[in-house]
Amino acid sequence: SQELEQSPQSLIVQEGKNLTINCTSSKTLYGLYWYKQKYGEGLIFLMMLQKGGEEKSHEKITAKLDEKKQQSSLHITASQPSHAGIYLCGATPGGGADGLTFGKGTHLIIQP
Amino acid sequence: GAGVSQSPRYKVAKRGQDVALRCDPISGHVSLFWYQQALGQGPEFLTYFQNEAQLDKSGLPSDRFFAERPEGSVSTLKIQRTQQEDSAVYLCASSFELAGGMETAQETQYFGPGTRLLVL
């Protein structure tokens, strides 16, 4: 089965600084999804990547999928308190499986 | 438009009690998923419906877990004889379509706020 490794597990950054979160798979990623979760809430969809080398941006968040489609990164520029939360990467498991497989998440704290 | 809604938001159950968790997907969404999220972990797939048909229940941890979606809209996840290890957040997600079981990206899933279940 596919496993997704996220790094770092937690991250504390000063407001205004840039940061990067990584998601690595042992298998080819056919669809890679980034979600954000605040404590006690559901997952908020951020972006979906499909093609090798694909890059998408929304406001100050940029997500990339490498050419081999085994690693994705999420980059936040000029972080703000509103960016705090848990970032989860999810992927289509393939092989006939339904649903998404998720990493354990990266807990982001923004220090004022 | 309205997103995915779940009820109750919080549920405390005594060990051995039966519970029922409800999910209202986004109107018109064909596919509905249930996930279980333990503390500090990512969500884990439980089961999947396409309209009223339960096409995949491979993630259900035991026969105490049962899900239904009789009219292809609202879904209920039922847990019988709850155990302490059932304590988790139960998330529901829906999507417009699904390219399930294929080596391709799926339609984006939109999640509800979850039901936080605590079994004492």
Side-chain angles (χ1 to χ4, degrees):
Chain A
S1 63
Q2 181 172 63
E3 289 189 1
L4 296 176
E5 294 283 335
Q6 284 189 240
S7 63
Q9 287 187 323
S10 62
L11 189 56
I12 302 173
V13 300
Q14 205 167 14
E15 184 178 350
K17 297 294 186 184
N18 303 339
L19 63 106
T20 300
I21 297 168
N22 294 299
C23 176
T24 303
S25 171
S26 56
K27 300 183 179 180
T28 301
L29 295 164
Y30 293 103
L32 190 287
Y33 305 77
W34 282 102
Y35 288 88
K36 179 185 174 185
Q37 183 176 32
K38 293 212 164 185
Y39 181 75
E41 298 180 14
L43 279 63
I44 299 168
F45 171 70
L46 296 175
M47 278 172 275
M48 188 266 274
L49 304 166
Q50 283 183 258
K51 302 175 184 176
E54 188 174 9
E55 180 176 322
K56 288 187 178 177
S57 293
H58 176 68
E59 297 180 342
K60 295 184 178 180
I61 301 177
T62 300
K64 300 178 185 178
L65 182 62
D66 74 338
E67 289 289 345
K68 292 184 178 180
K69 295 171 57 174
Q70 286 190 292
Q71 185 169 6
S72 178
S73 61
L74 188 80
H75 184 78
I76 299 177
T77 304
S79 58
Q80 300 170 348
S82 60
H83 289 130
I86 300 169
Y87 289 81
L88 290 152
C89 64
T92 307
D98 297 305
L100 295 176
T101 299
F102 285 92
K104 291 186 177 181
T106 295
H107 192 171
L108 174 63
I109 297 171
I110 307 294
Q111 276 185 336
Chain B
V4 178
S5 61
Q6 292 186 245
S7 61
R9 291 293 313 276
Y10 303 92
K11 177 69 180 178
V12 179
K14 291 183 180 178
R15 189 160 55 97
Q17 189 178 349
D18 296 351
V19 298
L21 313 180
R22 176 188 167 106
C23 172
D24 271 279
I26 293 172
S27 178
H29 276 194
V30 167
S31 297
L32 185 145
F33 303 81
W34 283 98
Y35 292 84
Q36 180 189 59
Q37 185 177 24
L39 191 63
Q41 303 294 315
E44 292 196 354
F45 169 77
L46 293 177
T47 187
Y48 156 61
F49 289 86
Q50 193 164 9
N51 295 307
E52 69 279 2
Q54 187 175 21
L55 299 186
D56 188 344
K57 52 183 180 180
S58 62
L60 296 177
S62 77
D63 58 9
R64 295 186 295 103
F65 286 71
F66 172 75
E68 60 183 6
R69 192 186 185 197
E71 296 179 0
S73 179
V74 171
S75 176
T76 304
L77 177 67
K78 298 180 179 177
I79 308 173
Q80 297 176 325
R81 305 181 303 281
T82 53
Q83 303 295 313
Q84 286 185 323
E85 62 262 28
D86 299 335
S87 296
V89 176
Y90 291 86
L91 295 162
C92 175
S94 70
S95 66
F96 186 65
E97 292 180 1
L98 176 72
M102 298 168 61
E103 305 297 351
T104 183
Q106 297 179 13
E107 197 68 24
T108 297
Q109 294 180 29
Y110 296 92
F111 284 77
T115 294
R116 187 173 296 274
L117 173 65
L118 177 62
V119 181
L120 301 176

